[in-house]
Amino acid sequence: MDLQLTGRVAIVTGASKGMGLAVTRTLLEEGAKVVAVSRRTTPELDALAGPNLLHVAADLMDEGAPARIVARAVEAFGGVDVLVNNAGGPPPGVSLPQFGFTTPDDGDWRRMFEFNLFAPVRLIREALPRLLESDAAAIVNVSTTMARQPGPMNYDYSAAKAGLANVTKGLSEEFGPQGIRVNTVSPGPVRTAWWTEEGGAADILAGATGADRDAVMDKVAPEMMNLVTGRLVEPQEVADAVVLLASPRSGSTTGAEVVVDGGSLKGL
């Protein structure tokens, strides 16, 4: 299926690994021009180098970053058609999961909201004038199932992502009539660096359950989270949903939430 993305210009945050890398790769395969945003590049991102890829090194917790990112996109490719706010999760120096309401302090809450809510809001605000110039503009915000299914852990993260989902709905109402579609993709647990890196979720849960880290990812976590598929989500599965929503082929889809969670959400 032709997703009609050839020549479209997309900004993707958190593009150096995991879901963002998969989104970047898929957009390039569909003929899009991609501005890949991350603090630093990776060998995997470097392997995608070509005339349609521009890496912009940026810390999204820097309030000046959005203006530089959009300016580079316009300078290199002439405009912006798609914005994928994928960067999120634990801010630098933070590991999740964190258990209990009293675990995060005020500083933790501020950093979590800065990274997962305020940074996307600032980038959307900066990109809007360029998106309004596009004849097929789309914003895709990556949230989490925890925004809809909170529990006694990761309070700050869940709340920040719930805020992002709310912003997405409001944007779809305000800017839909002006030609910008805005949607959410909400992954469940995805096999990314958040889980696999040393000191990440697999190690934290291994310490809490007494299992080894591989068993946590392959068996313990899927059982704890009631994943119908019996496994963690793969980054490419999330990327496929993101790119479809970014495509003009999804022209009547706006204000929607697409869940890619292995069946963890049980509510209607």
Side-chain angles (χ1 to χ4, degrees):
M1 180 172 69
D2 178 10
L3 294 182
Q4 301 174 3
L5 287 166
T6 300
R8 299 286 178 184
V9 180
I11 296 173
V12 181
T13 65
S16 64
K17 56 188 177 181
M19 295 182 294
L21 179 67
V23 170
T24 297
R25 182 188 301 112
T26 305
L27 285 168
L28 290 170
E29 290 171 351
E30 292 295 328
K33 300 174 182 179
V34 182
V35 178
V37 180
S38 61
R39 287 181 177 82
R40 61 191 66 84
T41 189
T42 59
E44 293 80 8
L45 182 59
D46 291 341
L48 302 177
N52 286 345
L53 178 65
L54 171 68
H55 177 249
V56 176
D59 179 355
L60 294 172
M61 295 174 77
D62 173 5
E63 293 184 14
R68 294 194 297 272
I69 293 165
V70 173
R72 292 289 305 280
V74 173
E75 178 185 12
F77 298 131
V80 180
D81 300 291
V82 174
L83 171 59
V84 179
N85 280 307
N86 165 75
V94 176
S95 295
L96 296 179
Q98 290 184 345
F99 301 97
F101 175 72
T102 60
T103 300
D105 60 20
D106 284 359
D108 295 321
W109 278 85
R110 279 191 288 268
R111 284 187 292 273
M112 194 66 74
F113 269 68
E114 185 70 34
F115 191 39
N116 288 279
L117 179 58
F118 302 154
V121 164
R122 285 194 292 263
L123 188 50
I124 292 167
R125 186 188 297 128
E126 191 66 38
L128 273 173
R130 296 299 180 174
L131 290 166
L132 287 167
E133 297 171 353
S134 172
D135 62 353
I139 299 172
V140 183
N141 293 323
V142 178
S143 182
T144 173
T145 53
M146 283 191 274
R148 289 179 51 193
Q149 189 166 282
M153 64 172 66
N154 303 330
Y155 281 89
D156 47 355
Y157 174 65
S158 300
K161 286 297 193 180
L164 183 62
N166 188 289
V167 168
T168 302
K169 282 283 191 181
L171 288 167
S172 71
E173 285 289 319
E174 181 175 358
F175 291 98
Q178 300 176 64
I180 304 177
R181 296 182 302 103
V182 193
N183 293 288
T184 299
V185 172
S186 292
V190 184
R191 190 180 286 265
T192 63
W194 178 346
W195 282 85
T196 60
E197 285 184 344
E198 185 176 351
D203 287 336
I204 293 171
L205 288 176
T209 62
D212 66 72
R213 66 192 324 271
D214 289 332
V216 165
M217 287 186 282
D218 293 339
K219 189 172 189 298
V220 175
E223 289 179 354
M224 287 175 60
M225 298 178 185
N226 295 314
L227 302 186
V228 175
T229 58
R231 60 174 177 81
L232 300 183
V233 178
E234 293 297 330
Q236 187 61 52
E237 294 170 319
V238 180
D240 290 341
V242 169
V243 173
L244 181 59
L245 288 174
S247 163
R249 296 295 292 265
S250 297
S252 289
T253 304
T254 192
E257 178 187 22
V258 174
V259 176
V260 186
D261 69 340
S264 63
L265 281 179
K266 310 302 181 184
L268 296 176

